[in-house]
Amino acid sequence: MSLFKARDWWSTVLGEKEEFDQGCLCLADVDNSGNGQDKIIVGSFTGYLRIFSPHSVKAGDGPQAEDLLLEVHLRDPVLQVEVGKFVSGTEMLHLAVLHARKLCVYSVSGTLGNVDHGNQYQIKLMYEHHLQRTACNMTYGPFGGIKGRDLICIQSMDGMLMVFEQESYAFGRFLPGSLLPGPLAYSARTDSFITVSSCRQVESYKYQVLAFATDADKKQETEQQKLGSGKRLVVDWTLNIGEQALDICIIPFNQSASSVFVLGERNFFCLKDNGQIRFMKKLDCSPSCFLPYCSVSEGTVNTLIGNHDHMLHVYQDVTLKWATQLPHVPVAVRVGCLHDLKGVIVTLSDDGHLQCSYLGTDPSLFQAPKVESRELNYDELDVELKELQRIIKDVKSQGVWPMTEREDDLKVSAVVSSSLDSVSQATNVEVGADSVPSITVKITLQNRVVLQKVKLSLYVQPPLVSTCDQFNFDFAVPDMTSVVAFSVYLKRSYLPSELEGNVVVSYSKPTDFANQSDDDQVNVMGFRLLGGSRVTLLASRTSQRYRIQSEQFEDLWLITNELILRLQEYFEKQGIKDFACSFSGCIPLQEYFELIDHHFELRINGEKLEELLSERAVQFRAIQRRLLTRFRDKTPAPLQHLDTLLDGTYKQVMALADAVEENQDRLLQSSAGLRSATHLLILLVRLWQKLSADQTAILEAAFLPLQEDTQELGWEETVDAAIAHLLKTCLSKSSREQALNLNSQLSIPKDTSRLKKHITLLCDRLAKGGRLCLSTDAAAPQAMVMPGGCTPIPESDLDERSLEESAELFTNHKHLIAETPVPEVAALQGVLE
């Protein structure tokens, strides 16, 4: 068993095809037993309410029947369950169950059983509230600083907070500007409700402000409010976090301080109770739930964070202390005390997998047996040692490993006739003799598998020649046999240096791959493209890393993309869902910029050649008019070498036209290479920053415009305008950058320095936590301090930062793979996680 797997203490599966969410799990002493043992309360969207008191089971045994204390069907879907002091006149704990249109409070009690069936548990409805609006979630606490009882606050789907003072309804207030409800929590120290609005900002509202504000009978302001009667609901403080929140939890350090924890889609935040950030942590995986709790170290907080990779991480502030694997994706996590076992982690998945686990390792009860001591006979050991040395020597002389014969795809055998040909096949000989003899050679080919384009080539030492030196075959089915015969004779009048000949047979298989080589380099695969370039793929023997290298940077794209597609298809067939590819090397911007410069140079050359061709065409037509005038004149005048000038101009026009056509072909080839390199660059950035499909689509739309290159509108100015738009909208750091207007007139630039600087800035801001989106609202979080201590880019970077300073971020950091790239060979290094 792996060390980093959660130790299963107790687990079960709830019902069949039931669904659960983060509010469906609660741990508390709901039956008021007083022994300090928690019970597990679980509600489902199908309306089932279950209460468990689990016991430890042996390995391989399932849950026992007595673990389930109570199971009742409430008919309505259960949105959330909480335990608190919800009944007036008593400080006993009661169970609050939130439905879509109803709030019910129950008492849970048990009766000691006198027979083997055990204790009997039942619930009793204390009171219920019918809601006028559809509920989303709820929170509870001693609102207003009351002692000995808890009040309940319910948030509706349209953003209204409804406060219930136990059996009675107190008031309701609409949150200003509410569009969609978010997570809701109550801070007892500041007597505030804290939520995250649809504007992606954390908002805090004082309970006293809510209580004294005008009653919310309807969402619009009434005429009485406009006249000034009643107080307007105002927010206490806000903090823009730039992403939607999954959950909120408030942990008190002591009576004078507390912390607000907010779990976002990519980060989790720790705020002071006045809204200031204590710290934040960028998460590597998409989170699903979390639970902060007080740490044993003073001044720190531990946080359990579950993610969609079946992992549960334990953080102490921003430091990862432990990581454990779960058999499911948790949507809710709690910590409690079950049967004197403190710190049991209880997790619930969306399909009903309920598990109680603990961290650490299981002690091993195995004890090694004692070794019997005996006296050693050194004479026998010497004899045995000499025998082993003899065996080793014999094995070395025969080869360390026995060679196993491998059946070839094609067998070739040659037979030379023992006698000369009765009729000589010699032709066109240059020997003085009247007759030159010849000898027949037969070649037999036998295939084991289907082969294509089989070609046999023959070579003999001169002055020997053969009647035929090439043969073609087609082995369409396995196990075919073909025999060819030819004759060899002496053509010239001097002796050959040797009487041996060579026969070479080349073929291709339908798979395009030869058999595995016999040497140790089985982790290397080479591809020779039809254009002549070669691409090599190397797989690491000790880690899940692949290295792809080629002489040209753009040739890496097709092989790299095909490798990722093949790996994804393979692991999908294996049923592995958490497979992911990543890129840990440096972004090869320098090689990419060289392709941009070459493409831009061809565009400039094309523009110059077309201008020169236009000038020569005008000159050619002017000379033609001059000559036509001379020829029409009744008194002919000397041509004054106009015919020579016409001929020279014509040759220049034709040469320039050929040069324009050749440059156009080279430009098309360069455009294809640049497009391949752009595809590769986008792929590397996506793997490097783990971009989503939408963000990758935005990057492709910016770097890969649909139109073809023309002299009026080309790739460089189009991409530069698109990247500049991204830098001044979703990747901007301030409103000043957003206020800058882009030039609506696109024209061919003087050089590519501005484009290369913008591409470098784009990668720089993505590395510092920027995210691509079509909305300009995403630009605000870029001004925040991102995890890892990244410093923001100065405001002048967009216009004044030099290319060399920006590109240094991507060229001067160390490779993660301890391999030295071959000089003048472009290489990519990737990691499979």
Side-chain angles (χ1 to χ4, degrees):
M1 180 179 292
S2 174
L3 178 65
F4 296 100
K5 287 185 178 180
R7 305 298 163 178
D8 188 3
W9 184 74
W10 179 90
S11 61
T12 185
V13 179
L14 306 179
E16 294 183 359
K17 297 182 180 180
E18 296 188 40
E19 295 182 3
F20 304 84
D21 205 351
Q22 62 182 8
C24 297
L25 177 64
C26 180
L27 267 67
D29 186 16
V30 67
D31 59 344
N32 299 282
S33 62
N35 56 8
Q37 306 299 322
D38 293 328
K39 279 73 177 178
I40 302 176
I41 304 102
V42 182
S44 71
F45 288 166
T46 55
Y48 282 95
L49 178 67
R50 299 178 178 91
I51 301 178
F52 293 91
S53 180
H55 298 75
S56 178
V57 295
K58 297 181 180 179
D61 296 341
Q64 304 298 318
E66 58 269 19
D67 295 342
L68 179 61
L69 303 182
L70 178 68
E71 180 176 358
V72 61
H73 190 208
L74 302 178
R75 297 183 180 178
D76 296 326
V78 177
L79 303 182
Q80 191 172 346
V81 290
E82 298 291 351
V83 175
K85 303 173 183 179
F86 300 137
V87 177
S88 60
T90 177
E91 294 189 4
M92 304 289 286
L93 297 179
H94 289 77
L95 174 63
V97 180
L98 178 64
H99 303 284
R101 286 282 184 167
K102 184 169 58 175
L103 172 66
C104 300
V105 176
Y106 300 92
S107 66
V108 181
S109 60
T111 304
L112 295 177
N114 297 324
V115 293
D116 294 338
H117 296 295
N119 301 337
Q120 305 295 322
Y121 285 82
Q122 60 183 0
I123 61 172
K124 179 182 178 182
L125 179 64
M126 303 303 295
Y127 63 87
E128 65 179 6
H129 293 287
H130 292 277
L131 307 177
Q132 300 298 320
R133 301 178 180 275
T134 303
C136 176
N137 51 25
M138 67 175 176
T139 186
Y140 69 94
F143 303 163
I146 60 176
K147 304 295 183 180
R149 58 177 180 158
D150 293 323
L151 307 186
I152 298 177
C153 178
I154 299 177
Q155 181 178 207
S156 67
M157 294 298 293
D158 56 354
M160 180 180 181
L161 298 184
M162 298 171 284
V163 178
F164 296 89
E165 294 183 356
Q166 296 181 341
E167 291 86 350
S168 61
Y169 172 75
F171 59 84
R173 302 289 184 266
F174 277 107
L175 297 180
S178 176
L179 180 62
L180 294 174
L184 180 67
Y186 172 74
S187 174
R189 203 192 76 81
T190 60
D191 194 25
S192 303
F193 295 100
I194 299 175
T195 184
V196 177
S197 66
S198 55
C199 298
R200 300 181 178 181
Q201 61 183 9
V202 185
E203 299 177 352
S204 175
Y205 297 91
K206 291 285 189 180
Y207 174 75
Q208 297 296 333
V209 176
L210 290 171
F212 289 101
T214 304
D215 192 17
D217 291 333
K218 56 183 180 179
K219 207 166 184 178
Q220 292 83 8
E221 287 186 346
T222 61
E223 292 295 332
Q224 191 176 11
Q225 284 180 288
K226 295 180 180 179
L227 295 176
S229 62
K231 295 185 177 180
R232 186 177 182 182
L233 181 58
V234 294
V235 65
D236 184 27
W237 54 262
T238 61
L239 176 66
N240 194 333
I241 61 174
E243 56 184 311
Q244 295 295 339
L246 303 180
D247 200 2
I248 296 179
C249 189
I250 299 174
I251 300 297
F253 283 111
N254 47 51
Q255 295 182 353
S256 61
S258 62
S259 292
V260 179
F261 287 84
V262 181
L263 179 64
E265 296 173 328
R266 296 181 298 271
N267 308 273
F268 85 91
F269 306 82
C270 178
L271 315 178
K272 298 180 181 178
D273 48 19
N274 60 356
Q276 297 180 355
I277 296 181
R278 287 188 64 236
F279 61 82
M280 65 176 291
K281 174 66 177 178
K282 183 178 180 180
L283 304 176
D284 297 331
C285 302
S286 176
S288 59
C289 61
F290 86 137
L291 177 68
Y293 60 95
C294 293
S295 173
V296 294
S297 301
E298 185 177 357
T300 63
V301 174
N302 287 355
T303 307
L304 296 175
I305 299 182
N307 58 44
H308 289 277
D309 290 340
H310 299 77
M311 296 294 294
L312 185 68
H313 292 170
V314 182
Y315 288 91
Q316 186 177 57
D317 288 347
V318 296
T319 304
L320 180 63
K321 291 296 185 179
W322 192 263
T324 182
Q325 186 176 6
L326 296 174
H328 55 263
V329 177
V331 296
V333 58
R334 300 290 185 271
V335 175
C337 178
L338 302 176
H339 286 276
D340 296 327
L341 183 61
K342 297 181 180 180
V344 178
I345 301 175
V346 182
T347 55
L348 175 67
S349 69
D350 59 352
D351 56 355
H353 284 78
L354 180 64
Q355 177 175 336
C356 300
S357 56
Y358 59 92
L359 305 179
T361 58
D362 292 324
S364 176
L365 302 179
F366 173 77
Q367 293 183 355
K370 295 182 179 180
V371 180
E372 296 181 0
S373 60
R374 58 186 178 89
E375 295 182 0
L376 300 178
N377 190 333
Y378 292 99
D379 294 336
E380 294 181 356
L381 292 178
D382 289 338
V383 174
E384 183 180 1
L385 178 61
K386 292 180 180 179
E387 179 66 18
L388 293 176
Q389 289 177 344
R390 184 188 63 80
I391 295 174
I392 294 173
K393 184 178 180 180
D394 294 341
V395 171
K396 284 184 177 180
S397 62
Q398 299 174 1
V400 179
W401 302 107
M403 300 299 293
T404 59
E405 294 184 359
R406 177 170 57 85
E407 189 174 1
D408 295 328
D409 295 335
L410 181 65
K411 293 183 178 179
V412 181
S413 60
V415 176
V416 180
S417 177
S418 58
S419 60
L420 298 175
D421 297 337
S422 59
V423 178
S424 176
Q425 302 296 322
T427 59
N428 298 328
V429 296
E430 300 177 5
V431 183
D434 296 335
S435 177
V436 176
S438 64
I439 192 169
T440 299
V441 180
K442 291 183 179 181
I443 306 293
T444 304
L445 285 77
Q446 183 177 4
N447 65 313
R448 184 178 59 88
V449 296
V450 176
L451 302 177
Q452 299 173 350
K453 300 179 181 178
V454 182
K455 182 178 181 180
L456 184 148
S457 300
L458 170 69
Y459 175 76
V460 292
Q461 294 289 337
L464 296 176
V465 295
S466 62
T467 55
C468 184
D469 57 0
Q470 287 188 355
F471 299 90
N472 295 320
F473 306 89
D474 186 11
F475 295 109
V477 294
D479 299 327
M480 292 179 59
T481 301
S482 297
V483 180
V484 294
F486 55 89
S487 297
V488 179
Y489 59 92
L490 186 68
K491 184 176 182 179
R492 299 182 182 275
S493 59
Y494 57 91
L495 294 178
S497 60
E498 54 182 304
L499 297 178
E500 294 182 355
N502 296 323
V503 174
V504 178
V505 181
S506 62
Y507 61 87
S508 63
K509 298 172 64 175
T511 57
D512 292 333
F513 293 104
N515 281 340
Q516 180 173 308
S517 61
D518 295 330
D519 57 10
D520 294 334
Q521 298 297 327
V522 294
N523 61 331
V524 179
M525 181 179 295
F527 301 87
R528 185 168 65 95
L529 306 181
L530 295 179
S533 179
R534 290 177 173 85
V535 182
T536 306
L537 173 63
L538 301 93
S540 175
R541 296 180 180 272
T542 58
S543 62
Q544 293 179 320
R545 292 170 180 257
Y546 292 86
R547 177 185 177 91
I548 309 170
Q549 61 187 24
S550 176
E551 299 172 356
Q552 297 179 1
F553 175 68
E554 61 271 20
D555 293 337
L556 297 171
W557 155 243
L558 293 178
I559 302 301
T560 305
N561 185 56
E562 186 66 23
L563 172 64
I564 295 177
L565 294 178
R566 294 285 183 92
L567 291 174
Q568 291 175 347
E569 181 181 1
Y570 171 81
F571 284 103
E572 285 179 0
K573 291 181 179 179
Q574 298 295 325
I576 301 175
K577 299 181 180 179
D578 56 349
F579 168 79
C581 296
S582 65
F583 175 75
S584 60
C586 56
I587 301 297
L589 291 182
Q590 189 60 39
E591 293 82 357
Y592 185 61
F593 290 161
E594 291 177 0
L595 292 174
I596 294 177
D597 291 337
H598 179 64
H599 179 267
F600 184 76
E601 181 182 358
L602 291 177
R603 287 188 61 196
I604 296 297
N605 291 341
E607 186 178 21
K608 292 180 179 179
L609 289 174
E610 289 183 357
E611 292 178 356
L612 191 59
L613 178 61
S614 177
E615 293 176 359
R616 292 297 181 268
V618 172
Q619 177 180 334
F620 184 77
R621 289 191 294 270
I623 297 173
Q624 282 183 323
R625 287 195 296 269
R626 291 284 185 92
L627 284 174
L628 185 60
T629 303
R630 294 289 179 91
F631 290 147
R632 288 179 177 178
D633 194 358
K634 294 182 179 180
T635 58
L639 295 180
Q640 297 180 349
H641 302 288
L642 285 178
D643 55 341
T644 305
L645 184 59
L646 179 66
D647 182 70
T649 306
Y650 173 78
K651 292 180 180 180
Q652 290 181 358
V653 168
M654 297 305 296
L656 287 174
D658 293 338
V660 169
E661 186 176 358
E662 181 183 359
N663 187 83
Q664 185 65 25
D665 293 337
R666 294 177 60 191
L667 181 61
L668 291 176
Q669 181 179 356
S670 177
S671 299
L674 180 59
R675 193 173 185 86
S676 298
T678 303
H679 278 294
L680 180 60
L681 183 70
I682 294 173
L683 174 64
L684 298 181
V685 173
R686 175 173 67 85
L687 299 180
W688 173 47
Q689 288 296 316
K690 296 180 174 59
L691 300 182
S692 63
D694 294 338
Q695 294 173 345
T696 305
I698 295 176
L699 208 59
E700 291 176 347
F703 278 86
L704 297 170
L706 298 178
Q707 80 275 358
E708 297 182 357
D709 282 329
T710 62
Q711 294 300 331
E712 293 77 19
L713 183 62
W715 183 87
E716 285 79 4
E717 54 266 31
T718 306
V719 173
D720 184 48
I723 297 178
H725 176 73
L726 293 178
L727 292 175
K728 296 175 182 178
T729 53
C730 61
L731 294 180
S732 66
K733 306 183 299 300
S734 63
S735 59
R736 186 181 73 87
E737 288 186 1
Q738 297 183 24
L740 297 176
N741 293 324
L742 295 173
N743 186 11
S744 59
Q745 183 67 29
L746 296 181
S747 59
I748 185 170
K750 296 181 180 179
D751 53 30
T752 60
S753 59
R754 175 185 172 88
L755 172 61
K756 293 187 286 189
K757 180 169 63 176
H758 284 174
I759 295 176
T760 306
L761 282 178
L762 176 70
C763 297
D764 185 80
R765 294 192 178 177
L766 288 176
K768 286 181 167 56
R771 285 298 176 262
L772 299 169
C773 65
L774 297 179
S775 173
T776 57
D777 296 335
Q782 303 299 323
M784 300 172 56
V785 178
M786 301 307 297
C790 296
T791 56
I793 308 175
E795 293 292 326
S796 60
D797 271 1
L798 188 60
D799 298 319
E800 299 177 3
R801 188 171 183 172
S802 65
L803 174 63
E804 290 79 8
E805 295 174 348
S806 301
E808 186 179 359
L809 296 171
F810 302 97
T811 57
N812 291 344
H813 56 273
K814 187 178 180 182
H815 282 278
L816 296 181
I817 299 179
E819 294 181 310
T820 302
V822 181
E824 300 181 358
V825 174
L828 299 180
Q829 297 172 344
V831 181
L832 295 180
E833 299 177 343

